[in-house]
Amino acid sequence: MKHYPVFLNVEGRRIVLSGGGDAALAKLRLLLKTEARITVFANDPTPEIARWHEEGRLTLVVRPVEPGDALCTALFYAANEDDAEDARVAAIARAEGALVNIVDNLEDSQFITPAIVDRDPVTVAIGTEGAAPVLARSIKRGLEDNLSPLLGTLARIGKAFRPEVEALPHGRKRREFWAEYYGRAGPAALAEGGENAVPAALRALLDRYLVAEAKAGRVDFVGAGPGDPELLTLKARRALDEADVVIHDRLVTPELLELARREALIIDAGKEGFGPSTPQAEIDAMIVDHALRGAHVVRLKAGDPTVFGRLDEEIEAVDAAGLDWGIVPGITAASAAVAAIGQSLTKRNRNSEVRFLTGHDMKGFAEQEWRALARPGAVAAIYMGKKSARFIQGRLLMHGADPATPITAIENASRPTQRIVSTRLSEMSEALSDAGLTGPALTFLGLAPRAALAAADEIEQKELAL
Ligand code: SAH
């Protein structure tokens, strides 16, 4: 991040702009929304600028900027649409201690003006450090569609009411009060009775919250999916949005944690120190402890919490403490991995069942029903199978599996670092170790990438034709 976003208080401060053409006009339209005192220097200002001067909305000085003009100035804009003149006035302003922006000159500007969504006092600023103004504009449009034009009114009234809400205890109750105001009570009052009805609605809502009992904590076991934040369910997003405490495992990516509420306490239950093997009992105790203190705990697990996630032990602990809980399913690694290779987990005339296996369990390499897995057409999704590749390969061959059975490993499924390694059972352990997989990987027995299959078919057809 080269440009750090801040909201500058410009109330009553001086902002100077040099220039009187279209570029100046565009900047002034934004600046006039602020409570700053604006001075424009221009030899030949557009009629609008002259009118704004007459209306007292800014001060127009009909001459070029001279030394001394930028003293005590918070922000200075060079908008002359003339490189030499911009450079001259920018040098003066910089020497006089103003922060300088040269319009359409990122390189020589000390700050840039973001694209703005204005729901005053709610303001959203969007910047791309000059990389993609088109993108900034499309994000702005998206936000504008999503943020009701009434949001500003609600926020203004809500802000004035803040001191009264001090009567509610800090934390969850207060947050829920505001969420209900902005989400339901406020918009409803505005729609029914206009602006004047809103303060009374706030009052009634507050009275209700003041007598409501403190809520007990709860635990949601939430599937974080395979890593791509867009593969989170809406329910998972909402849970992250509302969580007081997020306890996550090692495979949950930072991009996903970004989505948690800013004030939420985020606990890594898979980190070194705790170790990849934070004792399960310790995790159970942590979850229960926070929830008993009234927190909404989100236990965030990679993929789907019901797949190789030791979910039951955690549920039992939460149940034993008499706490409410729920499960939000997620997209498991097998689903993301099979999508990555353009295949189906089941297919008519090939396999009507698919097994989810773990490469190792608590005791070491896991034994499976090898005979069934060795049958032609068998499909299995192998979790945690990197270290056990040689063991699995050996067991399958020993039970009569065809050495040409396709094996495909998908590393970092759904993430930008996704990699696909396609091989045969006879080369399984060698190919996987040669690939040097470092991220989480899901290995399929009996599935090859669709593209590879098509290519192989083509070769076979050609060979037949010969
Ligand atoms: N509950 C998880 C699985 C936890 S076990 C789920 O439903 O996906 C951890 C194993 O899941 C890893 O060793 C790896 O085999 C697999 N895994 C998790 N995320 C993955 C990803 N993005 N790509 C490939 N495999 C993944």
Side-chain angles (χ1 to χ4, degrees), residues 223 225-228 249-251 253 301-310 330-337 356-358 360 382-386 409-415 418 439-443:
D228 176 355
D249 62 25
R250 197 167 39 91
L251 290 179
T253 57
K301 288 167 175 284
D304 186 300
T306 72
V307 178
F308 301 127
R310 304 191 67 178
I331 293 185
T332 189
S335 300
F356 284 17
L357 315 179
T358 167
H360 60 87
I382 306 168
Y383 289 72
M384 293 171 278
K386 277 191 298 190
I410 297 93
E411 184 193 29
N412 292 318
S414 88
R415 305 179 189 174
Q418 173 175 293
L442 192 291
T443 310

Side-chain angles (χ1 to χ4, degrees), residues 135-321:
L135 180 62
R137 274 195 294 275
S138 99
I139 295 172
K140 174 178 149 90
R141 263 199 308 280
L143 287 168
E144 265 169 347
D145 291 346
N146 272 310
L147 295 177
S148 150
L150 301 174
L151 181 64
T153 309
L154 287 178
R156 192 164 32 76
I157 300 171
K159 190 174 170 193
F161 199 72
R162 282 191 87 83
E164 305 201 34
V165 181
E166 296 283 319
L168 284 176
H170 263 294
R172 181 150 168 212
K173 205 165 180 183
R174 226 186 258 189
R175 278 199 314 275
E176 284 178 355
F177 169 82
W178 286 118
E180 189 164 345
Y181 167 63
Y182 284 107
R184 285 182 292 275
L190 207 52
E192 277 162 32
E195 226 173 284
N196 293 338
V198 179
L202 261 173
R203 181 78 263 154
L205 187 64
L206 180 60
D207 288 345
R208 188 149 64 72
Y209 269 75
L210 282 171
V211 298
E213 301 232 331
K215 272 201 193 161
R218 67 167 283 119
V219 181
D220 281 321
F221 298 96
V222 175
D228 176 355
E230 292 198 36
L231 290 179
L232 270 181
T233 62
L234 291 176
K235 281 198 174 168
R237 283 219 55 162
R238 187 168 335 125
L240 281 172
D241 236 20
E242 292 170 356
D244 300 304
V245 180
V246 177
I247 302 176
H248 65 93
D249 62 25
R250 197 167 39 91
L251 290 179
V252 172
T253 57
E255 290 82 354
L256 291 174
L257 294 173
E258 280 281 312
L259 299 173
R261 209 163 55 75
R262 183 107 77 90
E263 298 79 17
L265 173 64
I266 302 210
I267 301 171
D268 183 345
K271 199 168 56 180
E272 235 108 46
F274 278 123
S277 50
T278 305
Q280 187 60 44
E282 227 169 82
I283 300 179
D284 298 348
M286 200 151 52
I287 296 171
V288 167
D289 202 46
H290 283 288
L292 281 178
R293 282 190 262 147
H296 178 184
V297 178
V298 165
R299 172 68 172 122
L300 191 63
K301 288 167 175 284
D304 186 300
T306 72
V307 178
F308 301 127
R310 304 191 67 178
L311 175 62
D312 302 76
E313 294 158 65
E314 294 178 5
I315 291 180
E316 276 155 31
V318 169
D319 248 348

Side-chain angles (χ1 to χ4, degrees), residues 38-102:
I38 298 162
T39 306
V40 177
F41 290 86
N43 259 343
D44 185 18
T46 65
E48 259 134 318
I49 298 177
R51 181 160 50 81
W52 286 331
H53 170 73
E54 275 154 31
E55 290 169 1
R57 299 181 66 191
L58 51 75
T59 307
L60 173 64
V61 184
V62 187
R63 63 163 170 78
V65 167
E66 287 164 12
D69 286 342
L71 286 170
C72 301
T73 293
L75 301 177
F76 183 95
Y77 283 90
N80 299 288
E81 298 168 72
D82 169 342
D83 290 347
E85 179 61 0
D86 278 346
R88 185 186 74 81
V89 300
I92 292 175
R94 229 175 273 131
E96 290 174 2
L99 271 178
V100 175
N101 172 274
I102 304 177

